[in-house]
Amino acid sequence: MMLLWKLLVLLPLMGCLAVGSGLQSPVFTKQPGSIVFPVDSLEKSREVVFSCEAQGSPPPFYRWRLNGSIIDPTSGSHYTLSGGNLRISHLNKDRDAGTYQCLASNSFGTIISREASLTFAYLENFKTHRRSSVSVREGQGVVLLCGPPSHSGGLTFSWIFNKYPSVVKQDSRRFISQETGNLYIAKVEPSDVGNYTCVVTNTVTKTRVEGPSTPLVLRSDGVMGEYEPKIEVQFPELVPVAKGSTVKLECFALGNPVPSITWRRVDGVPFSRKVDMRKVSGVLEIPYFQQEDAGIYECTAENAKGRNAVKGKLSFYAPPQLIELPQDVQKAIDDSLVWECKATGKPKPSYRWMKNGENLESVEGRVQVINGALTISRLTMGDMAMYQCVAENKHGEVYSNAELKVVAVAPDFSHSPVKKHTLVREGGDVLIECRPKMSPRGHVSWRKGSETLRETSRMSILDSGSLRISNASKSDAGLYTCVARNQFGENSSAGNLLVKEPTVITTQPGTLDVTVGESIVLACQVTHDPSLEPRFTWFFNEQVINFGSHGGYFEKVGGHSAGDIMIRNIQLRHAGKYTCAVQTKVDSSSIATDLIVRGPPGPPTSVHVEEISDSTASLSWRPGPDNHSPITAYTIQARTPFSLGWQAVTTEVVGGRHLMATVTDLSPWVEYEFRVLASNTVGTGEPSKPSKQARTKETLPKVTPANVSGGGGSRSELVITWEPVPEELQNGEGFGYVVAFRPYNATGWMQAAVPFADAARYIFKNDSVQPFSPFQVKVGVYNNKGEGPFGPTVTVYSAEEEPVRTPSRVRAKSLSASDVEVMWRGLPWYTSRKPDQSKRILGYELRYWEKTEKEETASVLRTVGNQTSAIIQGLKGSTTYYVTVRAYNTAGAGPPSGVANVTTKKPPPSQPPLKVMWNTSNSKIVLNWEQVKALENESEVMGYKVLYKRRHSRPSVMETNTTSVELSLPTDEEYIIQIKPFGEGGEGSSSRQITIPRISGSTAVGSASTVSTLSALSTIALSFTARTSL
């Protein structure tokens, strides 16, 4: 009967819980906040609204508590509910001040909001209307009391001196405490005498009231002497400060002289930048207070008579903050629940739990709360509710919500039936899962066919209810049924077990040895159950091979029962472990093959220059990997700033076991880098990293300058030139040249040092040097190590004198509008110097300029050799020019001849031939055009030049003095033709280019277009067809 009663009660509840997934327990989306209401007696309709909003399905309904008691917002009450918001009208501070909480409920349970307070801010008037005067001596300190009236809410204080707007300004001598409102004057002066009024302002209501005035008068019995500071304003010994808040400490002292105020931390830690020390006003302000700001602070007041100090401790506190929250949970009936709830805070928070908005009390043996953790054992349907963990300390509290669902249900396989077909290989292990939904957990048994299974060494039922079968055989195949039952009912689910033949890899594992560049097949042959499809996966060093990537090196080549792969053009990086894994629906297997790849050696390492001389270097290195083929030899290469890349250097034969070598034939005083390459029977590997740069030692220079020559220069000079010796051949620092020279056939040498490595010439100047006289010259080298050899002796001539004679009989004639021919009688021609001969000449220099210009602007044309005429081109037509001629040599030009003048001819005709017509017949081309008429300033037309050519060939020219011409040309070729007029002024403008196409076996005629000046357009009539070509 008891079981039946439980079923009758619980099954309807389970139906409710099983309703669609749209159901939701209440969750606050908006919670009330504390309100400070300013009291204003003139305002009649005063009201406030506390906000509260929650989500849930069904939608929550709301209630409110004031100081723990439920509020009844009935009709006519001054409480009104709008949704979850509570409106309070006609506020009364005695009735409505307190702590409010919102409760939100639906069918899942109730949650309660955080606490929100309603307080009233006000400021009453001062009770006293008159205050006694305060008498002090000059130099004495004084405290004027404010005594603020009854109030609620924050206050600020100021003082009026005598009459508004004259207010007391704070400085090192005067201080207004914002804690008490009192005015402190450290040392009274005669100017301080007057009436003082305390002004109090409520920061919430903005109400401002003035107290009665206090007269301050000076006593007439003398001046107060100096005395040590007396601290009148000090902060408490213990000041708790909330995390993130701003704390202000006040400190002020009376004294004569006026004391100075300083602050420090007793532990010696310096103040951070955020700390504001307003020493004048005696306030230390620390914004955004953190744990590291806590400690003992000291204020020191000091003057010439002494010092005094006070200390106080700032302690850090923080309201609770949750770090571990309970989560919604669904539990089976009779199960146990453990919810953890943890929070940070200082002081350490305490915990309490609430159920549906009411405090949850511990029940011995079933409900316990320990260190914030809630434990409920033997869950019942009555435990299903909304729970809240409340973490609190004296500085605040924080709430978290969680829903507990308790489920009671008979076994149900609808969402997790036994798998219809379970596969296992023969000899393998298999797990047939049975996971019915039921609450509480009941009993599970199994049947094979119609017989109940008994557990054996091969068959076992796990705690989860699943059936494990080990070492399966063909006889294990069949229908298996899982039967589940609890106090609410019984249910079952069945599935078939199929036993398959195992998959076996017939290829044997092993090791393969290949050489770089070869291709190889890795085999993977299998036998398997015919009803199963094997799937092959290859791994290289335990990483899956993605065929199609890896640069196309890997390719599948196996058939249906083989997973063979080919590796093409094997590289060193392909060496390693290859694993073939084959998998079917029932089992898997794998084999591994080790692949060794032989290749050229890897780069040697640690190349060092052990010793270096002027021409040799001793090197050492360490071998790199031999890549499975012994190293047989090493090659050494070197690089300098002057070489084109790396070059092989001279060494003795370096065998594969040698790790040192001496490089020879190096250039002295050159920075070298060396690298080493290793070789084996496969090939030569990559080079090592370069060694550090090393410079060979200095030695005497051995290479002399090339191409020593000279000549030219100014009078009495011997100019000697050469090609500088390259830096890599200078053999040391301090490189320079020794220039030796002497007159031809003299016995003694004159020498000069040129101390610049890049020098390329030396000039010897002496009045005794005769013009164009031969000298024997040789150039040697030296550096800091000493002098090297001289180069071969060459002959160099000294500078010669410019010619002294002038050409004669200079005359000029015009050849055209742009060309003039100049002729003259030449000078005797000498190319060498002899005692009784004229100066040597190399040619003639023509200077010419227009009549309207000055000679300084003349253009110059030089001839080479003993010619006595020259043609000047590029002149203007119809223009008079002046011309002079002078001889020149390496020393310069001689005196000019007399001036000749010549006038160029008129310019050639500028009008091109127009209306050019042509026809072809019997291998002849006949051209006709219109007569060109010269303009008044142009030379007359003397004839025409016809230029014709095949494409991509040189043109031929025919002259005529008529306006037609007949050309005997094959008509099976394409021709390009132009016509130019000419006169005594030269050639005129050309006609447009005419293209005569290839004509075969017909007569054709055409004309040149007058549209374009750049191309010709020919119209050809051929067999009644019009054709245009450019």
Side-chain angles (χ1 to χ4, degrees):
M1 287 297 295
M2 187 64 181
L3 177 60
L4 179 59
W5 177 84
K6 289 184 177 180
L7 283 171
L8 291 174
V9 174
L10 296 178
L11 287 177
L13 288 172
M14 291 187 293
C16 292
L17 293 174
V19 177
S21 59
L23 297 178
Q24 180 187 340
S25 58
V27 177
F28 281 118
T29 57
K30 185 183 294 183
Q31 296 193 52
S34 294
I35 298 175
V36 180
F37 187 82
V39 175
D40 188 344
S41 59
L42 298 178
E43 186 179 0
K44 300 296 184 181
S45 58
R46 297 173 296 180
E47 67 176 25
V48 295
V49 176
F50 282 109
S51 298
C52 181
E53 187 179 293
Q55 288 182 342
S57 181
F61 64 92
Y62 301 91
R63 293 170 293 156
W64 282 83
R65 284 180 181 168
L66 170 58
N67 297 328
S69 299
I70 293 293
I71 293 174
D72 182 15
T74 56
S75 177
S77 168
H78 69 295
Y79 296 113
T80 306
L81 270 181
S82 176
N85 299 335
L86 176 65
R87 182 185 302 273
I88 309 173
S89 305
H90 307 295
L91 287 169
N92 181 289
K93 69 177 182 179
D94 297 325
R95 176 190 63 197
D96 297 321
T99 301
Y100 290 78
Q101 286 182 286
C102 173
L103 292 87
S105 307
N106 67 6
S107 57
F108 290 92
T110 300
I111 56 175
I112 190 167
S113 73
R114 68 192 177 199
E115 293 182 348
S117 63
L118 174 59
T119 56
F120 292 83
Y122 62 91
L123 176 61
E124 296 183 356
N125 290 318
F126 282 86
K127 303 295 185 185
T128 306
H129 298 289
R130 185 177 180 182
R131 290 189 178 177
S132 302
S133 61
V134 177
S135 298
V136 293
R137 294 178 180 176
E138 181 182 349
Q140 185 180 354
V142 69
V143 180
L144 301 182
L145 302 181
C146 177
S150 177
H151 65 276
S152 175
L155 301 179
T156 60
F157 301 92
S158 60
W159 284 76
I160 297 175
F161 179 53
N162 288 329
K163 188 176 181 181
Y164 187 80
S166 177
V167 296
V168 175
K169 294 184 179 179
Q170 298 187 81
D171 52 25
S172 60
R173 198 170 60 85
R174 290 170 293 192
F175 178 75
I176 300 173
S177 171
Q178 296 303 314
E179 297 289 337
T180 64
N182 297 338
L183 171 61
Y184 300 84
I185 303 176
K187 174 188 171 186
V188 175
E189 297 177 352
S191 60
D192 296 324
V193 173
N195 292 317
Y196 289 83
T197 303
C198 179
V199 181
V200 182
T201 303
N202 190 303
T203 58
V204 178
T205 66
K206 308 304 180 185
T207 306
R208 179 174 179 268
V209 296
E210 295 181 6
S213 63
T214 302
L216 178 65
V217 297
L218 283 182
R219 291 168 55 175
S220 58
D221 54 351
V223 177
M224 184 74 172
E226 293 184 349
Y227 63 97
E228 68 179 16
K230 179 184 178 184
I231 296 179
E232 289 287 345
V233 181
Q234 63 186 67
F235 48 95
E237 292 184 0
L238 179 62
V239 181
V241 187
K243 177 182 178 181
S245 65
T246 297
V247 62
K248 295 180 181 179
L249 302 180
E250 293 184 344
C251 182
F252 193 76
L254 310 182
N256 185 6
V258 176
S260 62
I261 303 296
T262 57
W263 296 86
R264 74 180 186 96
R265 286 185 60 156
V266 174
D267 57 9
V269 176
F271 291 133
S272 61
R273 289 185 178 180
K274 68 179 181 179
V275 175
D276 183 8
M277 287 181 292
R278 290 178 286 177
K279 298 179 182 178
V280 172
S281 59
V283 177
L284 174 71
E285 182 176 319
I286 307 175
Y288 195 63
F289 195 84
Q290 298 296 313
Q291 179 74 55
E292 59 268 19
D293 296 320
I296 298 175
Y297 287 74
E298 181 182 74
C299 166
T300 302
E302 186 172 7
N303 64 10
K305 302 302 290 183
R307 62 193 302 271
N308 207 342
V310 293
K311 298 177 183 177
K313 181 177 182 180
L314 298 187
S315 63
F316 173 84
Y317 76 81
Q321 185 174 353
L322 288 168
I323 58 174
E324 185 172 342
L325 310 177
Q327 303 296 323
D328 293 347
V329 68
Q330 179 175 298
K331 289 286 187 177
I333 194 169
D334 287 335
D335 203 349
S336 295
L337 166 72
V338 177
W339 260 329
E340 292 285 350
C341 180
K342 293 182 180 178
T344 60
K346 190 169 183 179
K348 185 177 180 181
S350 61
Y351 301 90
R352 58 186 172 92
W353 283 81
M354 306 184 76
K355 177 182 177 182
N356 287 337
E358 302 292 340
N359 285 329
L360 181 65
E361 302 297 334
S362 295
V363 178
E364 187 65 31
R366 205 175 80 82
V367 180
Q368 291 184 339
V369 178
I370 302 175
N371 294 329
L374 171 63
T375 303
I376 306 176
S377 58
R378 303 187 305 280
L379 288 170
T380 67
M381 299 303 294
D383 294 321
M384 189 161 55
M386 292 299 300
Y387 289 80
Q388 289 177 284
C389 170
V390 184
E392 55 193 348
N393 62 17
K394 63 182 181 180
H395 303 294
E397 59 185 15
V398 61
Y399 291 72
S400 65
N401 307 334
E403 178 192 357
L404 171 61
K405 290 181 180 178
V406 180
V407 181
V409 64
D412 179 14
F413 283 96
S414 60
H415 296 292
S416 55
V418 173
K419 194 175 181 182
K420 292 299 181 184
H421 298 284
T422 301
L423 304 181
V424 64
R425 68 174 176 86
E426 188 175 359
D429 299 339
V430 66
L431 183 69
I432 307 176
E433 292 188 335
C434 178
R435 296 183 298 166
K437 181 181 180 182
M438 57 179 173
S439 180
R441 184 72 188 168
H443 175 72
V444 175
S445 61
W446 284 84
R447 294 195 307 265
K448 181 183 179 187
S450 59
E451 295 184 2
T452 301
L453 273 181
R454 297 182 181 276
E455 292 192 70
T456 66
S457 59
R458 286 197 316 111
M459 294 189 180
S460 59
I461 301 175
L462 305 182
D463 292 341
S464 64
S466 299
L467 175 64
R468 179 183 292 280
I469 303 176
S470 304
N471 192 21
S473 64
K474 291 284 188 180
S475 62
D476 292 328
L479 179 67
Y480 288 81
T481 303
C482 174
V483 181
R485 61 175 63 84
N486 65 9
Q487 65 260 45
F488 301 115
E490 178 180 315
N491 206 341
S492 64
S493 180
N496 284 291
L497 177 66
L498 306 176
V499 182
K500 301 292 185 178
E501 295 179 9
T503 303
V504 179
I505 299 178
T506 58
T507 303
Q508 297 299 313
T511 301
L512 297 177
D513 192 325
V514 294
T515 301
V516 166
E518 295 180 347
S519 298
I520 191 172
V521 173
L522 302 182
C524 187
Q525 305 283 329
V526 299
T527 61
H528 58 91
D529 191 290
S531 65
L532 301 177
E533 184 74 23
R535 185 167 62 89
F536 295 92
T537 305
W538 279 88
F539 298 85
F540 173 46
N541 291 336
E542 301 183 357
Q543 299 296 317
V544 175
I545 297 175
N546 294 313
F547 294 91
S549 59
H550 298 283
Y553 290 99
F554 298 97
E555 179 184 350
K556 289 184 178 181
V557 294
H560 175 72
S561 296
D564 301 355
I565 64 169
M566 173 178 284
I567 309 176
R568 301 181 182 276
N569 188 23
I570 284 179
Q571 303 299 308
L572 288 172
R573 62 178 180 276
H574 295 144
K577 180 180 179 180
Y578 288 82
T579 303
C580 173
V582 58
Q583 185 174 15
T584 66
K585 290 182 178 180
V586 299
D587 62 353
S588 61
S589 185
S590 64
I591 62 164
T593 301
D594 290 321
L595 183 63
I596 297 173
V597 180
R598 302 185 187 276
T605 62
S606 303
V607 179
H608 293 292
V609 179
E610 303 291 345
E611 189 176 346
I612 193 164
S613 68
D614 60 344
S615 61
T616 65
S618 297
L619 307 180
S620 66
W621 61 90
R622 292 181 181 176
D626 64 5
N627 292 327
H628 307 290
S629 180
I631 297 173
T632 57
Y634 289 99
T635 303
I636 299 175
Q637 295 178 339
R639 178 175 65 182
T640 73
F642 317 106
S643 64
L644 297 175
W646 292 92
Q647 307 289 333
V649 292
T650 305
T651 63
E652 71 275 15
V653 176
V654 185
R657 296 188 177 183
H658 291 78
L659 299 178
M660 295 189 70
T662 299
V663 181
T664 59
D665 299 336
L666 301 178
S667 297
W669 200 61
V670 171
E671 285 188 335
Y672 281 89
E673 292 176 283
F674 299 95
R675 69 181 187 183
V676 183
L677 299 85
S679 302
N680 59 16
T681 55
V682 180
T684 299
E686 293 294 317
S688 68
K689 291 183 179 179
S691 67
K692 291 183 179 179
Q693 284 188 337
R695 185 184 287 274
T696 48
K697 306 295 184 183
E698 295 179 288
T699 188
L700 293 175
K702 299 177 181 178
V703 177
T704 58
N707 295 328
V708 177
S709 61
S714 302
R715 184 189 299 270
S716 303
E717 286 184 351
L718 173 64
V719 179
I720 302 170
T721 61
W722 61 87
E723 289 184 9
V725 175
E727 183 181 346
E728 64 268 29
L729 301 177
Q730 294 173 7
N731 291 8
E733 288 190 292
F735 185 84
Y737 303 93
V738 179
V739 181
F741 53 94
R742 64 185 179 186
Y744 202 79
N745 292 328
T747 56
W749 292 88
M750 290 178 282
Q751 291 189 358
V754 182
F756 305 106
D758 55 351
R761 66 186 300 165
Y762 171 74
I763 299 175
F764 173 71
K765 185 175 181 66
N766 193 287
D767 292 340
S768 63
V769 176
Q770 295 297 314
F772 205 63
S773 57
F775 280 78
Q776 290 181 303
V777 175
K778 58 183 179 180
V779 181
V781 290
Y782 70 92
N783 60 20
N784 288 347
K785 285 290 185 178
E787 292 189 10
F790 278 96
T793 301
V794 299
T795 299
V796 176
Y797 284 86
S798 63
E800 57 188 333
E801 294 178 340
E802 58 275 350
V804 296
R805 297 176 61 184
T806 62
S808 59
R809 298 182 63 182
V810 177
R811 57 196 184 279
K813 71 175 182 176
S814 176
L815 301 180
S816 67
S818 59
D819 298 344
V820 167
E821 183 179 17
V822 182
M823 296 155 287
W824 62 90
R825 173 178 288 181
L827 300 176
W829 186 254
Y830 301 108
T831 58
S832 60
R833 171 70 174 160
K834 294 185 179 180
D836 55 349
Q837 291 177 339
S838 302
K839 302 295 187 291
R840 184 181 72 130
I841 63 173
L842 297 179
Y844 296 93
E845 179 181 282
L846 285 70
R847 291 176 175 263
Y848 56 96
W849 63 97
E850 292 182 29
K851 180 180 179 182
T852 59
E853 295 176 344
K854 295 183 179 180
E855 184 178 356
E856 288 78 10
T857 64
S859 300
V860 175
L861 174 68
R862 276 193 171 188
T863 67
V864 178
N866 193 23
Q867 67 183 74
T868 57
S869 67
I871 295 176
I872 302 174
Q873 297 177 319
L875 303 176
K876 297 178 181 178
S878 302
T879 303
T880 300
Y881 286 87
Y882 293 143
V883 182
T884 64
V885 182
R886 61 182 74 190
Y888 74 89
N889 58 19
T890 59
S897 67
V899 177
N901 62 74
V902 62
T903 301
T904 54
K905 297 183 183 297
K906 291 183 179 181
S910 58
Q911 181 70 28
L914 301 175
K915 296 183 180 180
V916 179
M917 304 292 294
W918 60 269
N919 63 71
T920 62
S921 177
N922 300 324
S923 299
K924 292 183 180 179
I925 298 175
V926 179
L927 295 167
N928 294 279
W929 59 90
E930 191 177 73
Q931 172 71 39
V932 175
K933 295 182 179 180
L935 301 178
E936 184 178 350
N937 63 339
E938 295 176 344
S939 57
E940 292 296 327
V941 177
M942 299 171 58
Y944 301 89
K945 291 184 179 181
V946 180
L947 289 77
Y948 58 94
K949 68 170 185 173
R950 291 191 293 269
R951 287 195 180 276
H952 311 301
S953 64
R954 296 178 64 84
S956 300
V957 180
M958 174 182 285
E959 290 191 7
T960 179
N961 55 7
T962 66
T963 57
S964 65
V965 70
E966 182 179 286
L967 302 175
S968 298
L969 299 173
T971 57
D972 59 349
E973 294 282 349
E974 183 177 84
Y975 289 93
I976 296 173
I977 297 177
Q978 284 181 298
I979 303 170
K980 295 181 181 181
F982 68 88
E984 66 175 3
E987 295 181 355
S989 299
S990 172
S991 69
R992 299 162 186 85
Q993 180 175 291
I994 303 169
T995 301
I996 298 179
R998 180 183 303 158
I999 304 297
S1000 168
S1002 300
T1003 299
V1005 298
S1007 65
S1009 169
T1010 60
V1011 175
S1012 170
T1013 60
L1014 299 177
S1015 61
L1017 179 67
S1018 299
T1019 304
I1020 304 169
L1022 176 60
S1023 302
F1024 307 103
T1025 301
R1027 173 178 171 185
T1028 301
S1029 73
L1030 295 178

